[in-house]
Amino acid sequence: MNTLIKTAFFGALIIGMGVIFSSTGCRKKKDTTALIYVLDANNQRVAGAQVVLKGESTVPNSPPVVLFDTTLSDGSGIASFNFNDVYQLGQAGVAVLNIEAKKDALAGEAIIKIEQEEENEETVFIQ
């Protein structure tokens, strides 16, 4: 009978630990996004500008890590990017990316640091 009590106790303990770990160990990942504001020399937002985000590995002699995404700025002069597929839970930081924006003969560059689970924002001026 003593063995039966020990077995039941350890079984209940294992189930209890499983419930605790499963309820606190998993959390839903928040969105990791970037909003790029495209402005002209007069600080007016520019709609329809092509915005390119690109990054490369900065570690010498490492395998090439290339991140490239492009979109057009909307009617409010905002280009939005989603990095949910790039960021994984537990990862420290996401990327530092070069921004290139152009529309017709106007062009500009900037840099953005993408932080995990945040709405990252940067402005690029095209002239």
Side-chain angles (χ1 to χ4, degrees):
M1 178 115 169
N2 195 10
T3 305
L4 182 61
I5 293 173
K6 286 181 184 179
T7 303
F9 173 75
F10 285 116
L13 182 64
I14 290 172
I15 290 172
M17 288 175 57
V19 168
I20 289 171
F21 285 121
S22 67
S23 65
T24 61
C26 297
R27 71 171 180 86
K28 186 172 185 226
K29 179 169 67 168
K30 297 177 187 173
D31 286 337
T32 300
T33 60
L35 297 178
I36 309 301
Y37 301 96
V38 182
L39 302 178
D40 64 15
N42 298 319
N43 285 332
Q44 299 298 309
R45 292 193 179 181
V46 179
Q50 180 186 30
V51 180
V52 178
L53 296 183
K54 58 183 174 180
E56 297 177 10
S57 176
T58 57
V59 179
N61 301 323
S62 67
V65 177
V66 178
L67 182 61
F68 181 88
D69 201 357
T70 183
T71 192
L72 296 177
S73 58
D74 64 14
S76 299
I78 302 171
S80 59
F81 297 86
N82 187 306
F83 293 96
N84 288 343
D85 293 338
V86 176
Y87 170 68
Q88 300 300 317
L89 280 173
Q91 179 179 335
V94 179
V96 176
L97 303 172
N98 294 319
I99 305 168
E100 295 176 0
K102 63 183 176 180
K103 181 172 182 181
D104 302 326
L106 304 176
E109 297 179 349
I111 296 175
I112 185 169
K113 181 178 180 182
I114 307 297
E115 295 287 348
Q116 66 271 14
E117 299 183 286
E118 289 186 16
E119 183 176 80
N120 302 272
E121 299 177 322
E122 189 58 62
T123 300
V124 61
F125 292 92
I126 60 174
Q127 302 179 34

